[in-house]
Amino acid sequence: MFRLGFLIGLIALIGVLISGLVAYRVYHQEISLDDAALQRSVDIHARLVQDRLSERELLTRIIVGLIRRPSLLQGNVLEPLRSSIYAFKTDFVVASWVARVPPAGLTSAEKQLATAGFSRPKIRDAEDQVLNLASITQPTDVLMDVEPRNDETLTFPGRTLDQHPVLGPLLARAALEGKPLCSDPLVLMRTNGPVGVVLVAPVTQDGSSSVAGFIMFSYRIAPLILANEDTSPFDVVLRDPRELSKELKADPQGMVTAVTARQDPATPMLRRIVSFGGKDWALGYYPKNNSRARGEELAAIVAIIGVALTSIICGLFGYVIYNNIRLSREIEVRIGFENRLTAVIGELNHRVKNILAVIQSIVTRTLRHGTDVDSARELLIGRIHAMSNVVSLLSDSQWQGVKLRGLLESRAIPHAERIALSGPDIAVSPRAAQSLSLLFFELASHADEGLSLVGKHPNISAQWHVMGQGKDAIFDFRWEEFNTSAATRRPDSDFGVILLDRVAPEALGGASKRYFTDVSYVYELTAPMETVVDQAELDRTDRLAAPVNTGKRK
């Protein structure tokens, strides 16, 4: 019995040690997995933020490049650029053109502001007080145009920004360094407006190194930098460059407030640096969950289970005969060890699946545009494929334009076999081809919702013709889906509505409308031929291509 008690005590001691070792291992493994998942999520978020910032800075550089010969005194410099601005990003608060006006041009600038339709064309200071033009002896930075134009923004043009406490020094630095620069966080638009930043880019005239003016884009900080998912494992903050002891944090409604930087050793902050407008911005990430506390709880559970299993095994061994103690104990210990090992492996598998689920969630939410995930993904793949097709066609023609018929082939859009084409096969310009390719895909991708009013798939007619001659020629396109109605046709997506009603017409300098008749859905687009046709092809042939009439309704 002594030997049996000694053996049982020894086995109990070994079981306790193994339980403690497994609990210790589980604790560190839990912390390592959570830290790795958090690091990956932080890196992904920081890359997304950097991509967003790079896109905005690229947009500014492109817009600056489009302004080749700006007139200092114009009040509508942004007019020819509005479609280009909206074709890239529409999340700015306000876009502005600031002209550097010499003293002799201030009176003319007031006239231009009045002609452009701004409500307060008088030259004013940053505090909106009218200035005495005779007292101004140096070139002055005057706000001459804004986008969008609404009741609030129409009062901004006419203000001088030289004495503005934030924008004045920023404009001076941008002119001196000759590159886009970003301001510190400030309140936009009004006293109680949103917190954001202003990106300023200097514009020079051709053949001159002097600054003619500035393009300014104002962005809200919340969606630009501090955007965060409710299910993310961290809270993101922006270190306030004006006061390093403060942090800028966005609430669920997008309101940004300055809070005192947290100093909690239990939840250390992860730090990432992003660049925007010639400045480095420090992002801080605070974990929402305490991985160490969770690891301690899990380790305690594992240890209790291990001790309980060891006690049970030791109790069972007291009822067996002496000759079978060693064999029985070995079997029980092996079974217990394998059970614990299986539990640990199962936990590992669970954690790995959770990590993959987080990654999948990020990708899926990136693809969401107000519709279900599958439709958004299919539409995104189709739109990319449509753009890929038009780029291939343009590459084949060395970017000299493509035939309009090629944009309606089956490799470019769905259901092309059901489309009856009618119209001259004109060669459209590269810019028009890209807009029309997305337009045709958006129309075709929404014409496949089951059966129509008469139990058949809708027939589609695509017709276009040219009205008038010379510079007055008009391109008229009509898309009609027969045997369909608002009840059977898939509704246009948010992206599709913007593309059909605004982006495509503005890109072509025309207008569009869409409506349902008794038996069909109709989309019509009209635009000047000089924005649609490939001028090189027209000059070479001195005529439009022969008419196309192909396809039958099925």
Side-chain angles (χ1 to χ4, degrees):
M1 293 298 295
F2 176 80
R3 294 177 60 184
L4 178 60
F6 176 81
L7 183 60
I8 293 175
L10 181 60
I11 293 174
L13 178 60
I14 295 174
V16 171
L17 292 177
I18 293 176
S19 299
L21 181 61
V22 173
Y24 179 81
R25 180 63 177 171
V26 168
Y27 170 77
H28 282 277
Q29 202 164 40
E30 176 72 12
I31 292 177
S32 298
L33 289 174
D34 282 353
D35 288 345
L38 181 63
Q39 290 279 356
R40 184 174 181 82
S41 298
V42 167
D43 290 339
I44 291 175
H45 183 273
R47 284 198 299 269
L48 292 175
V49 170
Q50 184 63 72
D51 289 343
R52 283 196 293 266
L53 297 177
S54 299
E55 288 173 358
R56 276 55 175 192
E57 196 162 348
L58 176 61
L59 168 63
T60 303
R61 293 181 184 274
I62 291 175
I63 298 303
V64 169
L66 293 176
I67 303 179
R68 305 305 303 169
R69 294 181 178 276
S71 174
L72 296 178
L73 302 181
Q74 283 188 357
N76 58 352
V77 172
L78 298 179
E79 181 65 30
L81 303 178
R82 283 186 169 86
S83 61
S84 300
I85 292 174
Y86 283 108
F88 282 86
K89 293 292 176 186
T90 59
D91 59 350
F92 57 83
V93 177
V94 62
S96 309
W97 162 247
V98 179
R100 179 157 285 184
V101 184
L106 292 174
T107 302
S108 179
E110 288 184 342
K111 295 179 180 179
Q112 286 291 329
L113 290 171
T115 303
F118 294 112
S119 58
R120 302 192 63 191
K122 291 294 184 179
I123 303 299
R124 311 180 302 280
D125 60 15
E127 301 297 328
D128 207 27
Q129 301 299 317
V130 177
L131 294 175
N132 181 9
L133 302 186
S135 64
I136 300 177
T137 60
Q138 298 293 329
T140 304
D141 295 330
V142 181
L143 183 60
M144 297 292 294
D145 196 5
V146 293
E147 174 63 28
R149 292 188 178 186
N150 52 46
D151 293 341
E152 184 175 16
T153 59
L154 285 176
T155 63
F156 294 163
R159 295 185 183 182
T160 59
L161 303 180
D162 307 76
Q163 304 302 319
H164 192 281
V166 177
L167 298 182
L170 183 65
L171 294 174
R173 284 183 52 217
L176 181 64
E177 300 182 19
K179 63 180 183 181
L181 295 178
C182 185
S183 70
D184 286 336
L186 74 162
V187 177
L188 302 176
M189 302 292 288
R190 65 193 77 87
T191 303
N192 59 345
V195 177
V197 293
V198 178
L199 184 64
V200 174
V203 177
T204 58
Q205 292 180 307
D206 290 342
S208 174
S209 60
S210 61
V211 174
F214 306 87
I215 287 291
M216 295 197 315
F217 283 94
S218 301
Y219 295 98
R220 295 177 60 220
I221 285 183
L224 188 64
I225 299 179
L226 301 180
N228 201 359
E229 296 289 345
D230 294 336
T231 58
S232 65
F234 52 75
D235 289 323
V236 60
V237 298
L238 175 66
R239 183 61 58 90
D240 193 338
R242 302 164 299 181
E243 188 175 354
L244 296 182
S245 62
K246 297 289 185 179
E247 296 172 342
L248 299 178
K249 182 178 180 181
D251 60 17
Q253 288 72 39
M255 299 299 296
V256 177
T257 55
V259 297
T260 304
R262 285 191 282 181
Q263 303 292 335
D264 186 4
T267 55
M269 179 187 73
L270 296 179
R271 184 186 180 94
R272 295 293 185 272
I273 302 297
V274 295
S275 299
F276 181 54
K279 302 179 67 171
D280 289 335
W281 302 81
L283 297 178
Y285 297 86
Y286 292 102
K288 290 183 178 179
N289 300 318
N290 190 334
S291 60
R292 286 168 174 75
R294 188 167 59 251
E296 292 173 356
E297 293 175 358
L298 184 60
I301 294 174
V302 171
I304 292 173
I305 293 175
V307 172
L309 290 175
T310 301
S311 301
I312 293 173
I313 293 173
C314 291
L316 293 175
F317 266 94
Y319 294 97
V320 301
I321 60 175
Y322 177 80
N323 294 330
N324 296 327
I325 289 178
R326 183 171 298 176
L327 179 60
S328 299
R329 181 56 178 165
E330 183 179 350
I331 293 174
E332 294 293 335
V333 170
R334 186 177 298 276
I335 292 175
F337 180 79
E338 289 178 354
N339 288 339
R340 289 192 294 273
L341 184 59
T342 301
V344 173
I345 294 175
E347 184 66 20
L348 279 174
N349 291 334
H350 178 68
R351 293 298 171 185
V352 171
K353 290 179 181 179
N354 282 347
I355 295 173
L356 294 176
V358 171
I359 298 173
Q360 182 180 5
S361 175
I362 294 174
V363 174
T364 303
R365 287 179 180 273
T366 303
L367 293 174
R368 186 174 62 186
H369 291 286
T371 61
D372 62 274
V373 176
D374 291 335
S375 298
R377 181 165 52 250
E378 290 176 2
L379 286 176
L380 180 58
I381 293 173
R383 290 165 185 157
I384 293 174
H385 181 70
M387 289 302 297
S388 174
N389 176 69
V390 74
V391 169
S392 298
L393 294 175
L394 289 171
S395 299
D396 294 340
S397 66
Q398 298 183 350
W399 289 86
Q400 296 300 316
V402 299
K403 296 294 185 181
L404 180 59
R405 182 182 179 184
L407 302 178
L408 291 163
E409 294 178 350
S410 58
R411 63 175 179 172
I413 62 175
H415 317 297
E417 70 280 0
R418 303 211 312 266
I419 302 176
L421 305 179
S422 177
D425 195 15
I426 61 177
V428 298
S429 65
R431 178 180 178 182
Q434 296 181 45
S435 298
L436 290 174
S437 178
L438 280 177
L439 175 67
F440 294 159
F441 170 79
E442 201 65 30
L443 289 169
S445 64
H446 287 78
D448 61 343
E449 188 66 15
L451 299 179
S452 66
L453 295 173
V454 296
K456 297 180 180 179
H457 290 290
N459 295 318
I460 304 171
S461 171
Q463 302 178 5
W464 62 93
H465 61 277
V466 179
M467 300 183 298
Q469 295 180 350
K471 294 184 178 180
D472 297 329
I474 299 296
F475 172 77
D476 184 19
F477 174 80
R478 177 184 176 90
W479 174 283
E480 187 168 9
E481 298 170 18
F482 294 92
N483 299 325
T484 189
S485 68
T488 61
R489 188 178 188 274
R490 189 199 312 190
D492 292 316
S493 62
D494 293 341
F495 175 86
V497 171
I498 295 175
L499 176 66
L500 297 176
D501 294 349
R502 188 175 67 189
V503 175
E506 289 183 357
L508 299 177
S512 68
K513 60 181 179 178
R514 51 192 175 90
Y515 55 89
F516 285 92
T517 67
D518 294 338
V519 294
S520 65
Y521 168 82
V522 180
Y523 175 82
E524 296 180 346
L525 171 67
T526 58
M529 279 297 294
E530 61 182 3
T531 65
V532 176
V533 72
D534 178 34
Q535 194 61 41
E537 174 72 8
L538 188 60
D539 293 341
R540 182 169 59 253
T541 61
D542 196 29
R543 62 183 178 83
L544 297 175
V548 171
N549 192 351
T550 179
K552 296 181 178 180
R553 301 190 183 100
K554 298 181 179 179

